[in-house]
Amino acid sequence: MAPIVGEPGVTAATPETPHAGIGSDSAATIDCVNRRRLVLFAGLLVLVALAVLLGLRAASRQLEASLREALGPRASIGALQLGLTGLEVTELRIRAAPGAWPAADELVAKRVSLRPSLSSLWSRGWHVARVEIEDGYLSMQRSRQGKLRVLPALLEKPAAPGAQAGELPHVRIAQVVLHDVAIDFHDASVRQGTHRIRFESLDATVGPLAFPAFDEATDIDLKATLKGPQRDGRIGIHGELTIASLDAKLKAAVQGVDLVALQPYLLKVNEGGVRRGSLDLTLDATVKAKKLHAPGRVTLTGLELASGDGLLGTFGGVPRQAVLAAMKRDGRIEVGFTLDGRIDDPAFSINDN
């Protein structure tokens, strides 16, 4: 007889059920903790980003006030916009002092972007992370004594009333970027008076710049077109320069430059002139403790000289007749050279050498 359910001594079989709830609760707890951590981390990131933006905003306001004060009365601005991460200046113009500068303007720029550094909030002076100039013009002057002058309206301002003698504002710019800039270089150190060299389509990255000490090594990466009366050439400079000490490691390359544009550096007053020709040059210059060592190679192509002093004339220090004979024979002259000398020696001139 089949057993009766519920009968004493007889137990009904029931299927075993796993304890599934314990594992799922643990996994849910872990997921919840992970989500909280992610939310907390994201919140911290937002707070940090907000703090950075607020700091940059405050630094930008500080930079704006300093910029307006520094530009001075000869400067004009189309518009100045304060953004979250910096300033944007449009249609900037700094006029030159009448009669004291070889050009009408020291600086013109369609757009200037300035991004301050957060260190401006707690450090003395201006601390700028990046300055970017687009579609600009800059004039530079080299004096008869060889001193280079740039933006005297900003960099040669007299000290403020009450300031100690020689005290100037401290400015540190980590990086300056130039896009499509033109430069007029007015050189008064040549014998025939001031000579102007024109650079166009200049793109460069330079920095850092620490004013007024200029005691930091400044990286330079520059490419430009050197304009000439008959043809345009290309110039590139790469390396580093410490402006205060003039210590440098620079590589320069020049391709297809019009010799007519460079003739004041190649000819003395009584040596006639250059009718046509082009120059290619490579130079690897090192300056350490005021001593220059610069090996290089120069190639002159298609050189034609104007009338000069015959057998007594020279071209770049080489007898004129030897230059003409080599050019007639080969159509070009290729020469290796080395510049050596102390740059603080009044008897040493890069122009003459």
Side-chain angles (χ1 to χ4, degrees):
M1 177 182 296
I4 301 173
V5 177
E7 183 177 2
V10 179
T11 303
T14 57
E16 295 185 0
T17 57
H19 298 282
I22 297 177
S24 59
D25 288 345
S26 299
T29 301
I30 293 173
D31 289 343
C32 183
V33 171
N34 288 337
R35 282 196 296 270
R36 288 176 181 173
R37 288 177 178 173
L38 287 174
V39 170
L40 180 60
F41 182 67
L44 289 174
L45 286 180
V46 170
L47 288 176
V48 170
L50 184 60
V52 170
L53 287 175
L54 291 176
L56 287 174
R57 180 80 173 181
S60 297
R61 290 197 190 98
Q62 186 183 83
L63 181 60
E64 177 186 8
S66 300
L67 180 64
R68 289 186 181 277
E69 179 183 357
L71 286 177
R74 298 204 305 268
S76 61
I77 294 175
L80 192 154
Q81 184 175 357
L82 179 64
L84 289 176
T85 59
L87 299 174
E88 182 171 302
V89 181
T90 56
E91 305 300 338
L92 171 64
R93 181 187 180 191
I94 301 178
R95 292 177 295 276
W101 195 249
D105 298 306
E106 295 181 13
L107 174 70
V108 178
K110 187 173 183 180
R111 176 181 172 272
V112 180
S113 174
L114 300 97
R115 192 177 75 215
S117 170
L118 287 176
S119 58
S120 295
L121 298 176
W122 58 80
S123 300
R124 185 175 61 147
W126 305 357
H127 289 257
V128 183
R130 182 182 175 95
V131 175
E132 191 169 354
I133 299 176
E134 296 180 5
D135 193 8
Y137 165 82
L138 176 69
S139 57
M140 305 168 64
Q141 183 189 57
R142 187 184 183 202
S143 70
R144 188 164 296 279
Q145 294 74 32
K147 180 183 178 181
L148 183 64
R149 299 179 65 202
V150 184
L151 287 174
L154 298 181
L155 303 181
E156 299 178 11
K157 293 182 64 176
Q164 295 181 2
E167 183 179 345
L168 293 171
H170 291 259
V171 181
R172 188 183 190 278
I173 304 174
Q175 187 180 66
V176 177
V177 180
L178 306 177
H179 297 295
D180 196 19
V181 171
I183 292 180
D184 278 337
F185 178 65
H186 301 268
D187 192 350
S189 69
V190 295
R191 288 185 172 86
Q192 290 99 324
T194 300
H195 178 64
R196 182 177 74 103
I197 299 178
R198 174 83 173 186
F199 299 92
E200 293 185 355
S201 303
L202 185 145
D203 294 322
T205 301
V206 179
L209 294 170
F211 176 84
F214 290 117
D215 54 357
E216 295 187 42
T218 299
D219 293 326
I220 299 173
D221 188 4
L222 178 151
K223 295 180 180 179
T225 297
L226 197 157
K227 302 294 290 184
Q230 299 174 353
R231 59 180 297 161
D232 297 338
R234 294 291 298 170
I235 180 171
I237 300 174
H238 177 76
E240 66 176 33
L241 167 68
T242 302
I243 299 174
S245 65
L246 295 181
D247 286 354
K249 292 182 180 179
L250 295 171
K251 293 181 181 292
V254 172
Q255 295 178 329
V257 170
D258 192 343
L259 281 172
V260 177
L262 300 180
Q263 61 179 327
Y265 302 99
L266 301 171
L267 299 163
K268 294 182 173 62
V269 175
N270 62 344
E271 292 179 355
V274 178
R275 286 180 178 164
R276 62 177 57 88
S278 66
L279 176 143
D280 297 336
L281 178 143
T282 58
L283 185 69
D284 191 352
T286 300
V287 179
K288 186 69 175 177
K290 306 292 185 180
K291 182 173 177 57
L292 169 69
H293 177 68
R297 194 159 196 85
V298 62
T299 302
L300 307 178
T301 305
L303 174 65
E304 184 178 334
L305 299 178
S307 59
D309 291 338
L311 295 175
L312 299 179
T314 63
F315 177 84
V318 180
R320 178 187 180 89
Q321 293 302 319
V323 172
L324 294 177
M327 191 61 63
K328 183 176 181 180
R329 181 179 64 249
D330 303 324
R332 56 189 287 160
I333 299 174
E334 188 170 352
V335 180
F337 66 91
T338 300
L339 291 174
D340 278 309
R342 290 194 59 84
I343 59 177
D344 58 352
D345 182 355
F348 176 76
S349 169
I350 294 178
N351 289 3
D352 292 343
N353 286 274

